[in-house]
């Protein structure tokens, strides 16, 4: 073993990383409470914590949501559920949206997870396990109300309900579907899907109903039913894109300056000479790139902010590289920008949704794509944040 290997720290300091990702756990809890209170006491407010709580760390997010009163959670895959189930008490229910892959039904049940059954085949396999165990098993039933993605079609429901004891061995905890256009309140698909959902639900055994996720619950009480399943809104993504964001921001992404240089007019920056300076320019190289999940599409479109000068929007220039990007900091003036200074790529003056839009994507994709190389800190660890911010007042 090389002697230096003994010095490795499994939780290295912020200064070892090129970027800092700050997650405001208090904002997550506040967002959950806002959503819960919006639907009222007659409707359960669940939480979608799939994709590692939208990339922000399920091991930290899930306990916060549980402490805020959430008792129903949704993940996409069995493996996600297996990791999260130990974080929850026996009074919590954890649904797996993709159901069980063939041959994994016993594993899913043994881990205390509840499948969302999306097809006649999934129903049959869950019933087979119930027969072998000689006990009814809980499940959610998903119907396809018009998105053509997951769920039992009208024909599937006909086939299922034509059988004797069609759901023998299954205890339905929920009948659910998902809206395709909930972020556009005027879209006719919303009402069409609600109508289809009501029709399909009436043909199935009675169980609590759920149709709305983040944007859907803002369509009003007629879409909220017995349970809503917000995900994106919990993490600060705007569920009402045509209106001001009602949610508190959760994420701040910062990148450290590696070096700066002055260049003359006509000088190229980055791969492909995609940026050519048209004036004497002060260029800062930051230690974050697409290898960190910062979209390559933001080259020439994104901005950075020096926290002490929030009114100055610093353009990201040229092509974003795997491990770095360039920012034109000329408009900050002659003051030196020291190595190690942290600039905001997402933050209070460049929110998540506009940053994603500049990349031609949505906040969901930007959040879930943020990589593992950032030093991650949760609000409250002031020493780490202060360490990362050194020099930011330059």
């Amino acid at each position: 073993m090389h002697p230096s290997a003994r010095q490795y720290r499994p939780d290295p300091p912020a200064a070892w990383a090129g970027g800092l990702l700050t997650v405001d756990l208090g904002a997550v809890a506040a967002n959950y409470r806002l959503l819960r209170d919006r639907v009222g006491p007659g409707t359960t407010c669940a939480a979608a914590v799939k994709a590692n709580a939208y990339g922000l760390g399920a091991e930290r997010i899930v306990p916060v949501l549980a402490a805020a009163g959430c008792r129903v959670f949704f993940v996409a895959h069995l493996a996600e559920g297996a990791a999260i189930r130990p974080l929850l008490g026996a009074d919590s229910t954890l649904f797996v949206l993709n159901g069980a892959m063939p041959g994994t039904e016993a594993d899913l049940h043994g881990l205390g997870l509840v499948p969302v059954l999306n097809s006649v085949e999934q129903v049959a396999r869950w019933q087979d396990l119930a027969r072998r165990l000689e006990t009814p098993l809980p499940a959610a039933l998903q119907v396809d109300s018009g998105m053509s993605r997951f769920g039992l079609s009208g024909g599937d429901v006909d086939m299922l309900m034509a059988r004797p004891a069609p759901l023998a061995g299954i205890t339905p905890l929920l009948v659910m579907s998902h809206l395709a256009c909930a972020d556009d309140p005027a879209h006719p698909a919303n009402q069409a899907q609600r109508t289809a959902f009501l029709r399909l639900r009436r043909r199935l055994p009675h169980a609590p109903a759920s149709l709305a996720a983040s944007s859907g619950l803002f369509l009003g009480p007629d879409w909220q039913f017995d349970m809503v399943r917000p995900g994106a809104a919990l993490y600060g993504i705007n569920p009402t894109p045509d209106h001001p964001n009602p949610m508190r921001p959760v994420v701040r992404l910062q990148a450290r300056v590696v070096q700066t240089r002055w260049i003359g007019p006509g000088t190229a920056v980055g791969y492909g000479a995609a940026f050519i300076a048209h004036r004497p320019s002060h260029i800062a190289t930051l230690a974050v790139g697409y290898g960190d999940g910062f979209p390559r599409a933001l080259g020439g479109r994104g901005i950075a902010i020096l926290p002490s000068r929030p009114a100055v929007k610093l353009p990201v220039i040229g092509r974003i590289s795997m491990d770095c990007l360039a920012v034109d900091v000329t408009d900050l003036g002659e003051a030196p920008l020291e190595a190690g200074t942290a600039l905001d790529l997402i933050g209070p003056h460049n929110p998540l949704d506009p940053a994603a839009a500049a990349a031609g994507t949505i906040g969901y994709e930007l959040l879930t794509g943020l990589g593992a190389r950032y030093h991650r800190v949760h609000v409250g660890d002031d020493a780490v944040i202060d360490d990362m911010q050194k020099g930011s007042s330059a």
Side-chain angles (χ1 to χ4, degrees):
M1 177 184 291
H2 193 280
S4 63
R6 299 187 182 92
Q7 301 174 21
Y8 173 71
R9 299 170 61 175
D11 185 20
W16 288 19
L20 172 66
L21 181 63
T22 303
V23 179
D24 187 342
L25 296 176
V28 174
N31 287 340
Y32 176 78
R33 290 191 294 266
L34 183 152
L35 297 166
R36 178 200 62 196
D37 294 346
R38 187 175 183 90
V39 300
T43 298
T44 298
C45 187
V49 292
K50 58 187 180 176
N52 194 27
Y54 284 54
L56 300 184
E59 75 285 352
R60 298 299 299 270
I61 298 288
V62 168
V64 167
L65 290 170
C70 186
R71 293 295 178 268
V72 181
F73 298 83
F74 286 83
V75 295
H77 304 296
L78 192 160
E80 293 178 329
I84 290 172
R85 181 69 257 189
L87 304 176
L88 298 171
D91 61 341
S92 293
T93 303
L94 184 53
F95 288 100
V96 178
L97 288 164
N98 288 355
M101 291 292 182
T104 66
E105 292 81 10
D107 294 325
L108 190 147
H109 172 63
L111 290 164
L113 308 176
V114 180
V116 175
L117 302 177
N118 297 289
S119 66
V120 174
E121 292 77 16
Q122 286 190 346
V123 169
R125 293 198 304 270
W126 200 239
Q127 288 178 306
D128 182 62
L129 178 63
R131 282 192 296 270
R132 286 187 278 121
L133 296 177
E134 298 182 344
T135 185
L137 298 179
L141 300 172
Q142 179 151 216
V143 296
D144 176 17
S145 58
M147 196 174 181
S148 303
R149 190 178 66 162
F150 284 112
L152 298 158
S153 67
D156 292 335
V157 172
D158 287 341
M159 181 191 310
L160 196 61
M161 300 311 293
R163 298 173 178 173
L167 293 175
I170 294 177
T171 302
L173 301 186
L174 192 66
V175 175
M176 61 178 284
S177 192
H178 194 67
L179 293 166
C181 304
D183 57 348
D184 180 1
H187 201 292
N190 294 322
Q191 184 59 57
Q193 282 196 255
R194 181 178 180 276
T195 300
F197 179 61
L198 288 169
R199 184 176 63 249
L200 291 167
R201 181 194 179 198
R202 282 194 295 266
R203 294 157 63 189
L204 291 166
H206 180 75
S210 178
L211 180 61
S214 289
S215 295
L217 70 86
F218 283 86
L219 295 176
D222 286 348
W223 275 264
Q224 292 168 3
F225 292 94
D226 302 298
M227 182 186 293
V228 294
R229 317 179 308 271
L234 294 170
Y235 312 109
I237 294 172
N238 189 357
T240 58
D242 293 333
H243 300 279
N245 192 349
M247 315 313 299
R248 282 178 50 176
V250 170
V251 169
R252 184 178 188 181
L253 178 64
Q254 297 172 286
R256 295 163 63 87
V257 173
V258 178
Q259 70 176 103
T260 64
R261 72 184 70 238
W262 283 92
I263 61 174
T267 304
V269 176
Y271 282 119
F275 173 84
I276 306 290
H278 62 82
R279 61 175 181 173
S281 299
H282 194 196
I283 307 301
T285 301
L286 309 187
V288 162
Y290 63 75
D292 304 285
F294 194 73
R296 191 170 182 266
L298 282 172
R301 298 177 181 173
I303 61 170
I305 301 286
L306 180 66
S308 62
R309 301 278 300 279
V312 184
K313 299 186 186 304
L314 307 170
V316 175
I317 59 172
R319 294 182 184 172
I320 292 176
S321 300
M322 183 181 293
D323 311 304
C324 64
L325 57 85
V327 174
D328 186 342
V329 297
T330 311
D331 291 343
L332 292 176
E334 297 290 333
L337 195 63
E338 296 179 359
T341 298
L343 301 186
D344 286 351
L345 298 176
I346 299 170
H349 303 284
N350 187 31
L352 173 63
D353 288 302
T361 186
I362 56 176
Y364 300 67
E365 184 177 22
L366 186 51
L367 268 192
T368 56
L370 294 176
R373 295 199 295 186
Y374 299 110
H375 184 93
R376 292 177 178 239
V377 63
H378 296 82
V379 166
D381 195 350
D382 295 331
V384 176
I385 295 174
D386 289 345
D387 179 58
M388 191 69 179
Q389 295 278 16
K390 285 179 181 177
S392 293
S393 59

